[in-house]
Amino acid sequence: MDKLKKFVNKYTPVIMLLPALIGVLIIQIYPSLDSIRLSFTDKSLLNPITSYVGFDNYIKALSDPQTWQTILNTLVFAVLSLALGAVFAMLVANELNKKFRGRTFFRAMFLAPWVTPPLVTSAIWQLLLSETFSPINGLLMQLGWIDKPINFLGNTEPILGFLSMPLISIIIINVWSIFPFLMVMFLAGMQTIPAEMIEAATVDGANSVQRFFKITLPCLMPVIETSILLEGIWQFNNFNISYLVTKGGPLNSTMVMAVDVYTEAFINFNYGSGATISVLMMLIILFPAVVYLKKQLRQTDNI
Amino acid sequence: MNKRSRRILNGIRHWAVMIFTTIFVLFPFYWMVLTSLKPREELMASPPVWIPSFLDFNNYKLVWEQMPLLRYLGNSLFVSLMTTIVCLVLATFCGYSISRFVIRKPQKITTVMMILSQLIPGTLPFISFYFIMYNAGLTNTYQGLVIAYSVWAIPFCTLMMKSYFSQSVPIALEESATLDGCSKFGIFFRIAIPISVPGLVATSIFAFIQGWNEFMWASVMLSNNDMKPASVGIYDFIGQYGANSNISMSMTAAVMITLPAIIFFAFLQKYLISGLSAGAVKG
Amino acid sequence: MKNSKKILSALLAVSMLSTFAACGQDDKPANDGSGSAGGDTGDLSGKTITFTMQKYGNDASAQDKVLKEMTEAFKEETGITVNYSIIDWGQALTKLTLACTGGEAPDVADAYFTSSFVTIGQGKYGPADVTNVFEELGGEDAYFEAAIDEVKIDGKIYGIPWRMDTRAMIYNKAHFEEAGITEVPTTYDELIEVAKKLTKTDANGNITRSGAVLPVGDARFDQGWFSFLAGHGTSVMNEDYTEFTFGGQEGIDAIQFMLDLINVHKVCTANVIDPSFNSSTEYQAEKASIVLGANADFMTALEANAPQLVDVTGSAVMPSLTGEGPSSVVFSAPICIMNSTKERAAAEEWLKYFCSKEGQIKFCSSVNLINSRKDVMEDEFYSSDFMKTYPEQAERAIYGDPAIPTWSQIDAFPNGPLNTMLTNIVGGADIQTEVDNCLKQVQEIYDKGEVDLG
């Protein structure tokens, strides 16, 4: 019995790791590796014979200008959603971390977009942004600020070359649905900062802005890094908003890579070229992931 | 004077943020509720009606009769709670192990794996994964849902718990406990866990909502109507021709499915705050 | 502290157990794989089959109710239990695809894209040959031709056609009266003339009420275009599906006609390209007087969203170039027996029961669907003022989905070549360039499919 105890204590770190690691390997890593393999084949459900075609799928995808447009859309969508969402979430979390009347109420209320099923989110925002039924347009017209309804989801004129009204619209919808998640993560991080540190800074005469940048932000860094990286990856892979609100349209102005993969695989039954786009997505997102990993693993060496 | 004006400025900023966020967050919900309560003649008016001539609660009665709301919510609650428990237990162990024993190889490999698992978009692995679950006889079972959801949430929860542990739990405290003869598991339960309660709550909210909102896997994997969670059940009202074909019923169903979740989290919020004070006392 | 440890480990244990306990309990009952077709029903008593169906109708509980009644009556009659489940449209395609590639499959399924699924299943999974059942149910004479096209591959029938979807013209009688219009337009010229009278604009020239809107939702133009192709006397492909014919002069005219409604005659709002635009809701908001193609379920949505318009809404056969001949398309979908079934005989019994005239009248009238069986469409349910247009329109319609395995790719939404071409053109691109480009792409997809099959 004592031996067992010793054994358990010695291998505790590994015992703690294993269940999660095994689950992730079987359920996530293995299927992902399988996708990479598929990207070198011409697998199509309509064709019983599958053969390896080398880099053909990649050459085909990258020589199509539409792929590049989609990559650009995806990056713009992910980066802007994340940047706006994170700054907004930080701002709100910082205010919610103060003591004031009704704090519980606000905290609960701001979570609401997060627990709204994606299907509902898209249905309600479609209504809010449709040219005909939009209450926003209705209000602005009644106030006389505009004389023609704004075409939030239908105006395809480019703005600054890489943006368009529909893309901006789906980014705003996305910020609405992702900021509560970041807010909760930041808030939880802020609450684990020892109160003495903040008090000490206050005594030293730091104002609230200085306190935020000198104490809160640095202390939050581990939490910020992790949640931003993962949220960034998820937004890069985000499928729901574009697919459910605009189906990638109009004129592909909101087409993102995840929707492309979905249509290739599940509608066109071309698993090979769907997998190719998946791998391209992985290669792009690998860059920030490696930077994060390097930092994480180096940090760990220092301890 | 300076101090006072600064305080006023802070107050203004505070309430400006609160008010703006409230409008941004609540307006879609306001419109959702309004649409569900408008008399049908005013639904499609253009420009839209802001204040309906009367409130029509009949939709709620109809949806209640047509949709097994309690069963949907019960299914969702069960699956999400199980997901939260399984995921949190595994992720907390794993995250703690990484945060304390980082220099070792297994921990490093695990960190890399956790990140890698997030990189490939879920659409394609979905198919291989489906067949793994099908061959294991887990399609059409709650277990199939819980396993999928918890493992999908594990990488994030692990890395997040690791961050919270390395941010908030002083290693010195643990070392003194080791000297007191505590086992590693003992230190984990007695020192690390209590201090990290806010982080624990935050990640559990994540795991819970992930299970609550997911609809693609549930919809593909389940074929038994009695097991449907709410996120799939909402399709009952969106149907073949989209939400537009019966907008007031879609919105009513949406309100009835979303509201319980919001209320549930209102209660959890209190716990988040009490978790904070507990942590603060010890820290 | 000790407590929290205990609780946690207990929870861990419980969750582990409940997670893995089910691995063994899901063993399916072993069936004697009697694949014999037909046979008398006596020995089928006690069998159980599974049946999946997509979601239909606007009332969430209607379909469940009618299926419950029908399966109970069927059990009474034959002793066969039918476990049905209703699938939402969001993942229906994925579910069917998985069922056809060896995933969990029902014994009997409500399918579409029949030809694709037969190809995907490779004779092992997917829809099975049910020519015998089809003959027993009345054969080719009992069904509309476009419906048979959907299920017939190399002379074999792979499913029993049931629901049908054709698009008729919807118009607002009050608007007609107000504009002094007494006759429903039957030709395109009449349509334009009428629509001009119905259209209203504000001081800036913006359209506030469209005389006639294109049938668009989610910025999807293909299905409306098929109708205009038919109205111009052509179609996407030729009769035997060997050649694409939409690039001919009539095809170009059909596209030009759609554009002219927006740009030249200014009777349809240019906002059709907005993904949130929907011609039905435009009509419900009285921002459109005529919808150029809507399905038979239109009325249910109208009752739900704008009941004040129910009494002033009429339906009519779609106009065409000459006022005669085809002016719309029909889509049809079959109920299939899956190759993977172990209860073929029981499945056949259910198929015969559900797809019989009586079965189809009962089901389709509950969820407001029109039907592929001619004798079903003669039922009095389809004789109401609004509904009676639909059987007429079905007689004057061509197929909507050519029965080729690659059709789902060619007509893929949102990004298939046809939809891309139409969206680009409506967005302002040159018609001829887009059509040529599209022809090249569809031919490529088509050829690939042909080679693979051979």
Side-chain angles (χ1 to χ4, degrees), chain A residues 45-48 130-133 151 153-154 247 250-252 255 263 266-269, chain C residues 93-94 97 271 273-276 281-282 285 287 408-409 412-415 423-424 452:
Chain A
L45 289 186
L46 294 173
N47 182 353
S130 80
E131 189 184 15
T132 313
F133 303 106
N151 202 343
L153 295 172
K247 294 270 191 302
L251 298 178
N252 286 327
M255 180 55 83
T263 27
F266 288 103
I267 295 176
N268 293 347
F269 308 124
Chain C
L93 184 62
T94 310
T97 310
N271 195 29
I273 203 162
D274 183 335
S276 67
T281 50
E282 280 301 277
K287 291 190 62 118
S408 58
Q409 294 182 45
F413 179 73
N415 264 358
T423 326
N424 286 348
D452 294 341

mmCIF file of all heavy atoms in Angstrom, chain A residues 45-48 130-133 151 153-154 247 250-252 255 263 266-269, chain C residues 93-94 97 271 273-276 281-282 285 287 408-409 412-415 423-424 452:
data_model
loop_
_atom_site.group_PDB
_atom_site.id
_atom_site.type_symbol
_atom_site.label_atom_id
_atom_site.label_comp_id
_atom_site.label_asym_id
_atom_site.label_seq_id
_atom_site.Cartn_x
_atom_site.Cartn_y
_atom_site.Cartn_z
ATOM 1 N N LEU A 45 -16.527 11.522 -53.020
ATOM 2 C CA LEU A 45 -17.501 10.476 -52.735
ATOM 3 C C LEU A 45 -18.129 9.937 -54.012
ATOM 4 O O LEU A 45 -18.612 8.830 -54.052
ATOM 5 C CB LEU A 45 -18.585 11.002 -51.811
ATOM 6 C CG LEU A 45 -18.169 11.263 -50.381
ATOM 7 C CD1 LEU A 45 -19.372 11.645 -49.563
ATOM 8 C CD2 LEU A 45 -17.506 10.025 -49.791
ATOM 9 N N LEU A 46 -18.132 10.777 -55.065
ATOM 10 C CA LEU A 46 -18.775 10.345 -56.296
ATOM 11 C C LEU A 46 -17.864 9.434 -57.105
ATOM 12 O O LEU A 46 -18.242 8.910 -58.132
ATOM 13 C CB LEU A 46 -19.176 11.564 -57.136
ATOM 14 C CG LEU A 46 -20.251 12.440 -56.495
ATOM 15 C CD1 LEU A 46 -20.459 13.704 -57.295
ATOM 16 C CD2 LEU A 46 -21.560 11.678 -56.380
ATOM 17 N N ASN A 47 -16.622 9.290 -56.647
ATOM 18 C CA ASN A 47 -15.662 8.485 -57.371
ATOM 19 C C ASN A 47 -15.167 7.355 -56.478
ATOM 20 O O ASN A 47 -14.540 7.609 -55.458
ATOM 21 C CB ASN A 47 -14.497 9.393 -57.777
ATOM 22 C CG ASN A 47 -13.459 8.653 -58.578
ATOM 23 O OD1 ASN A 47 -13.525 7.424 -58.729
ATOM 24 N ND2 ASN A 47 -12.489 9.378 -59.089
ATOM 25 N N PRO A 48 -15.456 6.106 -56.844
ATOM 26 C CA PRO A 48 -15.083 4.996 -55.965
ATOM 27 C C PRO A 48 -13.571 4.801 -55.852
ATOM 28 O O PRO A 48 -13.108 4.234 -54.879
ATOM 29 C CB PRO A 48 -15.730 3.777 -56.633
ATOM 30 C CG PRO A 48 -16.035 4.192 -58.022
ATOM 31 C CD PRO A 48 -16.209 5.664 -58.024
ATOM 32 N N SER A 130 -31.538 43.749 -42.156
ATOM 33 C CA SER A 130 -32.111 43.678 -43.492
ATOM 34 C C SER A 130 -32.565 45.070 -43.909
ATOM 35 O O SER A 130 -33.037 45.853 -43.098
ATOM 36 C CB SER A 130 -33.281 42.708 -43.517
ATOM 37 O OG SER A 130 -34.417 43.342 -43.008
ATOM 38 N N GLU A 131 -32.401 45.353 -45.188
ATOM 39 C CA GLU A 131 -32.698 46.709 -45.657
ATOM 40 C C GLU A 131 -34.147 47.087 -45.358
ATOM 41 O O GLU A 131 -34.441 48.189 -44.904
ATOM 42 C CB GLU A 131 -32.423 46.809 -47.157
ATOM 43 C CG GLU A 131 -32.511 48.238 -47.652
ATOM 44 C CD GLU A 131 -32.331 48.341 -49.153
ATOM 45 O OE1 GLU A 131 -32.415 47.329 -49.856
ATOM 46 O OE2 GLU A 131 -32.108 49.467 -49.623
ATOM 47 N N THR A 132 -35.050 46.153 -45.571
ATOM 48 C CA THR A 132 -36.464 46.464 -45.450
ATOM 49 C C THR A 132 -36.937 46.544 -44.002
ATOM 50 O O THR A 132 -37.692 47.430 -43.632
ATOM 51 C CB THR A 132 -37.288 45.380 -46.179
ATOM 52 O OG1 THR A 132 -36.705 45.164 -47.438
ATOM 53 C CG2 THR A 132 -38.715 45.824 -46.349
ATOM 54 N N PHE A 133 -36.506 45.572 -43.188
ATOM 55 C CA PHE A 133 -37.113 45.454 -41.861
ATOM 56 C C PHE A 133 -36.239 45.992 -40.741
ATOM 57 O O PHE A 133 -36.612 45.933 -39.581
ATOM 58 C CB PHE A 133 -37.451 43.989 -41.583
ATOM 59 C CG PHE A 133 -38.358 43.414 -42.624
ATOM 60 C CD1 PHE A 133 -37.887 42.527 -43.571
ATOM 61 C CD2 PHE A 133 -39.691 43.793 -42.675
ATOM 62 C CE1 PHE A 133 -38.732 42.022 -44.551
ATOM 63 C CE2 PHE A 133 -40.535 43.292 -43.640
ATOM 64 C CZ PHE A 133 -40.053 42.399 -44.582
ATOM 65 N N ASN A 151 -27.849 49.597 -46.776
ATOM 66 C CA ASN A 151 -27.908 48.208 -47.203
ATOM 67 C C ASN A 151 -26.775 47.437 -46.537
ATOM 68 O O ASN A 151 -25.738 47.195 -47.120
ATOM 69 C CB ASN A 151 -27.780 48.178 -48.727
ATOM 70 C CG ASN A 151 -28.347 46.916 -49.293
ATOM 71 O OD1 ASN A 151 -28.542 45.950 -48.573
ATOM 72 N ND2 ASN A 151 -28.607 46.928 -50.570
ATOM 73 N N LEU A 153 -26.185 44.332 -45.563
ATOM 74 C CA LEU A 153 -25.684 43.036 -46.010
ATOM 75 C C LEU A 153 -25.616 42.922 -47.530
ATOM 76 O O LEU A 153 -25.172 41.914 -48.058
ATOM 77 C CB LEU A 153 -26.562 41.907 -45.455
ATOM 78 C CG LEU A 153 -26.539 41.760 -43.936
ATOM 79 C CD1 LEU A 153 -27.574 40.758 -43.480
ATOM 80 C CD2 LEU A 153 -25.162 41.331 -43.461
ATOM 81 N N GLY A 154 -26.089 43.950 -48.249
ATOM 82 C CA GLY A 154 -26.170 43.799 -49.698
ATOM 83 C C GLY A 154 -25.241 44.699 -50.491
ATOM 84 O O GLY A 154 -25.056 44.508 -51.686
ATOM 85 N N LYS A 247 -24.188 33.238 -46.050
ATOM 86 C CA LYS A 247 -23.752 32.135 -46.909
ATOM 87 C C LYS A 247 -22.534 32.539 -47.739
ATOM 88 O O LYS A 247 -22.384 32.130 -48.878
ATOM 89 C CB LYS A 247 -24.881 31.716 -47.860
ATOM 90 C CG LYS A 247 -26.086 31.103 -47.200
ATOM 91 C CD LYS A 247 -25.943 29.592 -47.073
ATOM 92 C CE LYS A 247 -27.226 28.906 -46.663
ATOM 93 N NZ LYS A 247 -27.800 29.363 -45.415
ATOM 94 N N PRO A 250 -22.840 38.610 -50.314
ATOM 95 C CA PRO A 250 -23.057 38.598 -51.759
ATOM 96 C C PRO A 250 -21.733 38.734 -52.515
ATOM 97 O O PRO A 250 -20.822 39.394 -52.031
ATOM 98 C CB PRO A 250 -23.929 39.832 -51.987
ATOM 99 C CG PRO A 250 -23.662 40.715 -50.825
ATOM 100 C CD PRO A 250 -23.252 39.861 -49.679
ATOM 101 N N LEU A 251 -21.681 38.094 -53.665
ATOM 102 C CA LEU A 251 -20.486 38.096 -54.518
ATOM 103 C C LEU A 251 -19.240 37.706 -53.743
ATOM 104 O O LEU A 251 -18.183 38.290 -53.906
ATOM 105 C CB LEU A 251 -20.282 39.482 -55.153
ATOM 106 C CG LEU A 251 -21.380 39.961 -56.079
ATOM 107 C CD1 LEU A 251 -21.069 41.357 -56.590
ATOM 108 C CD2 LEU A 251 -21.569 39.006 -57.251
ATOM 109 N N ASN A 252 -19.364 36.712 -52.850
ATOM 110 C CA ASN A 252 -18.236 36.195 -52.079
ATOM 111 C C ASN A 252 -17.600 37.215 -51.146
ATOM 112 O O ASN A 252 -16.495 36.988 -50.662
ATOM 113 C CB ASN A 252 -17.147 35.644 -53.008
ATOM 114 C CG ASN A 252 -17.566 34.323 -53.607
ATOM 115 O OD1 ASN A 252 -18.271 33.550 -52.969
ATOM 116 N ND2 ASN A 252 -17.169 34.074 -54.835
ATOM 117 N N MET A 255 -17.109 35.513 -47.921
ATOM 118 C CA MET A 255 -16.690 34.114 -47.981
ATOM 119 C C MET A 255 -15.433 33.899 -47.143
ATOM 120 O O MET A 255 -14.453 34.609 -47.311
ATOM 121 C CB MET A 255 -16.422 33.741 -49.446
ATOM 122 C CG MET A 255 -15.974 32.310 -49.658
ATOM 123 S SD MET A 255 -17.099 31.088 -48.954
ATOM 124 C CE MET A 255 -18.308 30.959 -50.223
ATOM 125 N N THR A 263 -18.380 23.618 -47.963
ATOM 126 C CA THR A 263 -19.050 23.398 -49.245
ATOM 127 C C THR A 263 -18.310 22.356 -50.076
ATOM 128 O O THR A 263 -18.929 21.495 -50.673
ATOM 129 C CB THR A 263 -19.177 24.685 -50.079
ATOM 130 O OG1 THR A 263 -18.128 25.562 -49.722
ATOM 131 C CG2 THR A 263 -20.479 25.374 -49.845
ATOM 132 N N PHE A 266 -18.910 18.839 -47.890
ATOM 133 C CA PHE A 266 -20.242 18.331 -47.589
ATOM 134 C C PHE A 266 -21.260 18.593 -48.690
ATOM 135 O O PHE A 266 -22.323 18.000 -48.688
ATOM 136 C CB PHE A 266 -20.737 18.908 -46.268
ATOM 137 C CG PHE A 266 -20.034 18.325 -45.089
ATOM 138 C CD1 PHE A 266 -19.045 19.030 -44.441
ATOM 139 C CD2 PHE A 266 -20.337 17.041 -44.662
ATOM 140 C CE1 PHE A 266 -18.379 18.475 -43.368
ATOM 141 C CE2 PHE A 266 -19.679 16.482 -43.586
ATOM 142 C CZ PHE A 266 -18.693 17.199 -42.938
ATOM 143 N N ILE A 267 -20.977 19.520 -49.586
ATOM 144 C CA ILE A 267 -21.935 19.752 -50.659
ATOM 145 C C ILE A 267 -21.405 19.219 -51.984
ATOM 146 O O ILE A 267 -22.108 18.560 -52.732
ATOM 147 C CB ILE A 267 -22.301 21.249 -50.735
ATOM 148 C CG1 ILE A 267 -23.037 21.626 -49.443
ATOM 149 C CG2 ILE A 267 -23.182 21.535 -51.948
ATOM 150 C CD1 ILE A 267 -23.376 23.065 -49.309
ATOM 151 N N ASN A 268 -20.113 19.488 -52.252
ATOM 152 C CA ASN A 268 -19.546 18.976 -53.501
ATOM 153 C C ASN A 268 -18.967 17.578 -53.351
ATOM 154 O O ASN A 268 -18.543 16.985 -54.327
ATOM 155 C CB ASN A 268 -18.440 19.912 -54.000
ATOM 156 C CG ASN A 268 -19.002 21.255 -54.408
ATOM 157 O OD1 ASN A 268 -20.197 21.406 -54.550
ATOM 158 N ND2 ASN A 268 -18.134 22.221 -54.591
ATOM 159 N N PHE A 269 -18.906 17.070 -52.126
ATOM 160 C CA PHE A 269 -18.387 15.724 -51.831
ATOM 161 C C PHE A 269 -16.917 15.558 -52.219
ATOM 162 O O PHE A 269 -16.443 14.449 -52.374
ATOM 163 C CB PHE A 269 -19.218 14.637 -52.534
ATOM 164 C CG PHE A 269 -20.688 14.739 -52.274
ATOM 165 C CD1 PHE A 269 -21.596 14.843 -53.317
ATOM 166 C CD2 PHE A 269 -21.177 14.733 -50.978
ATOM 167 C CE1 PHE A 269 -22.960 14.933 -53.071
ATOM 168 C CE2 PHE A 269 -22.540 14.820 -50.729
ATOM 169 C CZ PHE A 269 -23.428 14.922 -51.772
ATOM 170 N N LEU C 93 -28.225 16.882 -45.283
ATOM 171 C CA LEU C 93 -27.331 16.420 -46.340
ATOM 172 C C LEU C 93 -26.167 15.625 -45.747
ATOM 173 O O LEU C 93 -25.805 14.558 -46.248
ATOM 174 C CB LEU C 93 -26.819 17.618 -47.145
ATOM 175 C CG LEU C 93 -25.957 17.298 -48.353
ATOM 176 C CD1 LEU C 93 -26.731 16.498 -49.379
ATOM 177 C CD2 LEU C 93 -25.432 18.579 -48.993
ATOM 178 N N THR C 94 -25.589 16.145 -44.656
ATOM 179 C CA THR C 94 -24.476 15.450 -44.014
ATOM 180 C C THR C 94 -24.915 14.075 -43.517
ATOM 181 O O THR C 94 -24.222 13.077 -43.682
ATOM 182 C CB THR C 94 -23.959 16.281 -42.831
ATOM 183 O OG1 THR C 94 -23.748 17.607 -43.277
ATOM 184 C CG2 THR C 94 -22.679 15.728 -42.290
ATOM 185 N N THR C 97 -25.358 11.756 -46.383
ATOM 186 C CA THR C 97 -24.060 11.387 -46.945
ATOM 187 C C THR C 97 -23.393 10.322 -46.079
ATOM 188 O O THR C 97 -22.880 9.325 -46.591
ATOM 189 C CB THR C 97 -23.143 12.625 -47.038
ATOM 190 O OG1 THR C 97 -23.861 13.667 -47.684
ATOM 191 C CG2 THR C 97 -21.898 12.314 -47.810
ATOM 192 N N ASN C 271 -32.315 45.287 -54.616
ATOM 193 C CA ASN C 271 -31.824 44.752 -53.357
ATOM 194 C C ASN C 271 -31.857 43.228 -53.286
ATOM 195 O O ASN C 271 -31.521 42.641 -52.264
ATOM 196 C CB ASN C 271 -32.686 45.353 -52.237
ATOM 197 C CG ASN C 271 -32.079 45.165 -50.891
ATOM 198 O OD1 ASN C 271 -30.863 45.101 -50.768
ATOM 199 N ND2 ASN C 271 -32.916 45.039 -49.888
ATOM 200 N N ILE C 273 -29.938 41.182 -54.170
ATOM 201 C CA ILE C 273 -28.619 40.594 -53.946
ATOM 202 C C ILE C 273 -28.264 40.537 -52.458
ATOM 203 O O ILE C 273 -27.326 39.870 -52.044
ATOM 204 C CB ILE C 273 -27.562 41.393 -54.752
ATOM 205 C CG1 ILE C 273 -26.326 40.544 -55.013
ATOM 206 C CG2 ILE C 273 -27.203 42.696 -54.053
ATOM 207 C CD1 ILE C 273 -25.471 41.064 -56.108
ATOM 208 N N ASP C 274 -29.029 41.230 -51.633
ATOM 209 C CA ASP C 274 -28.822 41.235 -50.182
ATOM 210 C C ASP C 274 -29.182 39.851 -49.618
ATOM 211 O O ASP C 274 -30.278 39.364 -49.836
ATOM 212 C CB ASP C 274 -29.745 42.312 -49.584
ATOM 213 C CG ASP C 274 -29.570 42.472 -48.081
ATOM 214 O OD1 ASP C 274 -29.128 41.514 -47.430
ATOM 215 O OD2 ASP C 274 -29.894 43.561 -47.587
ATOM 216 N N PRO C 275 -28.246 39.194 -48.895
ATOM 217 C CA PRO C 275 -28.547 37.850 -48.387
ATOM 218 C C PRO C 275 -29.764 37.822 -47.446
ATOM 219 O O PRO C 275 -30.356 36.764 -47.253
ATOM 220 C CB PRO C 275 -27.283 37.456 -47.626
ATOM 221 C CG PRO C 275 -26.228 38.345 -48.139
ATOM 222 C CD PRO C 275 -26.877 39.614 -48.571
ATOM 223 N N SER C 276 -30.107 38.959 -46.849
ATOM 224 C CA SER C 276 -31.254 38.942 -45.948
ATOM 225 C C SER C 276 -32.561 39.241 -46.685
ATOM 226 O O SER C 276 -33.633 39.247 -46.089
ATOM 227 C CB SER C 276 -31.056 39.947 -44.815
ATOM 228 O OG SER C 276 -31.067 41.254 -45.325
ATOM 229 N N THR C 281 -41.049 37.567 -47.696
ATOM 230 C CA THR C 281 -41.244 38.584 -46.661
ATOM 231 C C THR C 281 -41.481 39.956 -47.290
ATOM 232 O O THR C 281 -42.200 40.768 -46.721
ATOM 233 C CB THR C 281 -40.057 38.632 -45.683
ATOM 234 O OG1 THR C 281 -38.855 38.707 -46.428
ATOM 235 C CG2 THR C 281 -40.016 37.413 -44.796
ATOM 236 N N GLU C 282 -40.893 40.214 -48.458
ATOM 237 C CA GLU C 282 -41.193 41.462 -49.168
ATOM 238 C C GLU C 282 -42.692 41.552 -49.444
ATOM 239 O O GLU C 282 -43.323 42.583 -49.255
ATOM 240 C CB GLU C 282 -40.486 41.528 -50.531
ATOM 241 C CG GLU C 282 -39.039 41.909 -50.564
ATOM 242 C CD GLU C 282 -38.689 43.259 -49.991
ATOM 243 O OE1 GLU C 282 -38.806 44.283 -50.679
ATOM 244 O OE2 GLU C 282 -38.248 43.267 -48.831
ATOM 245 N N ALA C 285 -44.667 42.221 -46.365
ATOM 246 C CA ALA C 285 -44.565 43.612 -45.923
ATOM 247 C C ALA C 285 -45.253 44.551 -46.905
ATOM 248 O O ALA C 285 -45.144 45.765 -46.778
ATOM 249 C CB ALA C 285 -43.097 43.996 -45.779
ATOM 250 N N LYS C 287 -44.380 45.148 -49.793
ATOM 251 C CA LYS C 287 -43.384 45.861 -50.591
ATOM 252 C C LYS C 287 -43.227 45.197 -51.946
ATOM 253 O O LYS C 287 -42.305 45.504 -52.693
ATOM 254 C CB LYS C 287 -42.049 45.908 -49.844
ATOM 255 C CG LYS C 287 -42.152 46.809 -48.603
ATOM 256 C CD LYS C 287 -40.813 47.076 -47.989
ATOM 257 C CE LYS C 287 -39.917 47.812 -48.933
ATOM 258 N NZ LYS C 287 -39.473 49.113 -48.508
ATOM 259 N N SER C 408 -25.587 17.978 -57.822
ATOM 260 C CA SER C 408 -25.448 18.668 -56.536
ATOM 261 C C SER C 408 -24.223 19.582 -56.538
ATOM 262 O O SER C 408 -24.199 20.591 -55.839
ATOM 263 C CB SER C 408 -25.375 17.666 -55.394
ATOM 264 O OG SER C 408 -24.297 16.802 -55.586
ATOM 265 N N GLN C 409 -23.203 19.238 -57.322
ATOM 266 C CA GLN C 409 -22.028 20.109 -57.403
ATOM 267 C C GLN C 409 -22.267 21.275 -58.355
ATOM 268 O O GLN C 409 -21.873 22.399 -58.089
ATOM 269 C CB GLN C 409 -20.822 19.340 -57.921
ATOM 270 C CG GLN C 409 -20.343 18.267 -56.995
ATOM 271 C CD GLN C 409 -19.110 17.593 -57.552
ATOM 272 O OE1 GLN C 409 -18.187 18.245 -58.020
ATOM 273 N NE2 GLN C 409 -19.090 16.282 -57.518
ATOM 274 N N ALA C 412 -24.522 23.630 -56.695
ATOM 275 C CA ALA C 412 -24.215 23.819 -55.275
ATOM 276 C C ALA C 412 -24.501 25.253 -54.847
ATOM 277 O O ALA C 412 -24.280 26.191 -55.611
ATOM 278 C CB ALA C 412 -22.756 23.479 -55.013
ATOM 279 N N PHE C 413 -24.999 25.381 -53.639
ATOM 280 C CA PHE C 413 -25.238 26.693 -53.091
ATOM 281 C C PHE C 413 -24.418 26.844 -51.818
ATOM 282 O O PHE C 413 -24.412 25.940 -51.007
ATOM 283 C CB PHE C 413 -26.722 26.862 -52.773
ATOM 284 C CG PHE C 413 -27.042 28.193 -52.165
ATOM 285 C CD1 PHE C 413 -27.017 29.322 -52.951
ATOM 286 C CD2 PHE C 413 -27.311 28.316 -50.824
ATOM 287 C CE1 PHE C 413 -27.276 30.567 -52.400
ATOM 288 C CE2 PHE C 413 -27.581 29.556 -50.272
ATOM 289 C CZ PHE C 413 -27.560 30.678 -51.056
ATOM 290 N N PRO C 414 -23.698 27.943 -51.622
ATOM 291 C CA PRO C 414 -23.684 29.158 -52.417
ATOM 292 C C PRO C 414 -22.704 29.181 -53.581
ATOM 293 O O PRO C 414 -22.809 30.074 -54.409
ATOM 294 C CB PRO C 414 -23.255 30.202 -51.392
ATOM 295 C CG PRO C 414 -22.386 29.473 -50.446
ATOM 296 C CD PRO C 414 -22.905 28.074 -50.400
ATOM 297 N N ASN C 415 -21.755 28.230 -53.677
ATOM 298 C CA ASN C 415 -20.612 28.487 -54.552
ATOM 299 C C ASN C 415 -20.517 27.667 -55.825
ATOM 300 O O ASN C 415 -19.487 27.658 -56.460
ATOM 301 C CB ASN C 415 -19.317 28.313 -53.754
ATOM 302 C CG ASN C 415 -18.847 29.650 -53.268
ATOM 303 O OD1 ASN C 415 -19.490 30.643 -53.572
ATOM 304 N ND2 ASN C 415 -17.759 29.691 -52.538
ATOM 305 N N THR C 423 -25.192 35.204 -59.584
ATOM 306 C CA THR C 423 -24.917 36.293 -58.648
ATOM 307 C C THR C 423 -24.012 37.327 -59.297
ATOM 308 O O THR C 423 -24.239 38.530 -59.166
ATOM 309 C CB THR C 423 -24.241 35.767 -57.369
ATOM 310 O OG1 THR C 423 -24.744 34.478 -57.090
ATOM 311 C CG2 THR C 423 -24.506 36.678 -56.205
ATOM 312 N N ASN C 424 -22.981 36.856 -60.005
ATOM 313 C CA ASN C 424 -22.088 37.796 -60.671
ATOM 314 C C ASN C 424 -22.842 38.663 -61.668
ATOM 315 O O ASN C 424 -22.625 39.871 -61.739
ATOM 316 C CB ASN C 424 -20.970 37.049 -61.402
ATOM 317 C CG ASN C 424 -19.937 36.505 -60.434
ATOM 318 O OD1 ASN C 424 -19.943 36.876 -59.249
ATOM 319 N ND2 ASN C 424 -19.092 35.619 -60.904
ATOM 320 N N ASP C 452 -15.777 8.913 -64.093
ATOM 321 C CA ASP C 452 -15.753 8.147 -62.851
ATOM 322 C C ASP C 452 -16.764 7.012 -62.874
ATOM 323 O O ASP C 452 -16.514 5.922 -62.384
ATOM 324 C CB ASP C 452 -16.058 9.058 -61.673
ATOM 325 C CG ASP C 452 -14.954 10.070 -61.478
ATOM 326 O OD1 ASP C 452 -13.849 9.842 -61.998
ATOM 327 O OD2 ASP C 452 -15.206 11.077 -60.813
#
